[in-house]
Amino acid sequence: MLDPELLERITARRAELDELKEQLAKQLAEVRAERDELAVAERVLDRVSEQLADERASAAPAPGQVGGRAVMLIPHRTPDVEETMLPPDYQRILAAVRQAAGPVMARQVGEMLGVDVTVRARLEPLRGRLVRLVDRGWLRKLPDGRFTTRL
């Protein structure tokens, strides 16, 4: 005959193990669900990263062709690159900023160049050129949005 106390301990332990089994099964299901979500997030991140890389590549300045060689249309300012290497409209923009008594807004540059600054569609391309000159080191943009020459 079996010992009733031993049988009770076995039954209690079996109940504990069954409860633990249920908890572990629940945790395993949660882990699997989270891993699936992470896999989806990883695929989305990969796609977004690829799209951003494609957009950056397409937004990068496309080199022009001069004498069969690729050159940037708006080169970075370096000691060996002269202002005369810039396209004429960029040279005029630099000259206008230089002639100003101090830092200038895009609107003021437009007025100096004879651009109709009352029309936003005419002013924004000029602002883009000013920013491009800042990006290439030809001008500085102050925190208040005004542009000035580099020293």
Side-chain angles (χ1 to χ4, degrees), residues 77 93-94 97-98 100 102-106 109 127 129-151:
R77 183 179 181 196
I93 292 170
L94 276 175
V97 174
R98 256 194 215 101
V104 291
M105 298 296 287
V109 175
R127 188 181 322 278
R129 288 186 182 102
L130 286 161
V131 170
R132 193 167 297 119
L133 287 169
V134 169
D135 292 342
R136 300 301 195 307
W138 293 96
L139 293 176
R140 271 187 335 136
K141 185 174 182 183
L142 302 177
D144 63 1
R146 295 180 301 161
F147 296 89
T148 185
T149 56
R150 286 221 172 257
L151 298 176

Side-chain angles (χ1 to χ4, degrees), residues 3-16:
D3 181 13
E5 186 178 312
L6 183 58
L7 188 58
E8 187 178 317
R9 285 178 47 201
I10 290 173
T11 305
R13 182 65 180 149
R14 181 169 290 155
E16 287 175 11

Side-chain angles (χ1 to χ4, degrees), residues 1-104:
M1 183 153 156
L2 293 173
D3 181 13
E5 186 178 312
L6 183 58
L7 188 58
E8 187 178 317
R9 285 178 47 201
I10 290 173
T11 305
R13 182 65 180 149
R14 181 169 290 155
E16 287 175 11
L17 292 175
D18 287 344
E19 185 178 327
L20 183 59
K21 179 182 170 185
E22 287 178 27
Q23 289 174 356
L24 290 174
K26 182 179 177 184
Q27 285 179 337
L28 181 60
E30 290 171 357
V31 166
R32 285 182 176 152
E34 188 171 346
R35 285 183 58 90
D36 290 344
E37 290 174 7
L38 288 174
V40 169
E42 191 174 32
R43 286 194 302 267
V44 169
L45 181 61
D46 286 343
R47 285 187 196 141
V48 169
S49 296
E50 288 173 9
Q51 288 175 347
L52 286 175
D54 291 344
E55 288 175 13
R56 283 188 188 118
S58 67
Q65 292 285 327
V66 175
R69 290 181 33 191
V71 296
M72 285 184 69
L73 296 177
I74 310 302
H76 288 275
R77 183 179 181 196
T78 59
D80 60 329
V81 177
E82 296 181 23
E83 188 176 316
T84 57
M85 298 176 87
L86 293 171
D89 55 336
Y90 285 86
Q91 290 179 34
R92 288 184 29 230
I93 292 170
L94 276 175
V97 174
R98 256 194 215 101
Q99 289 171 1
V104 291

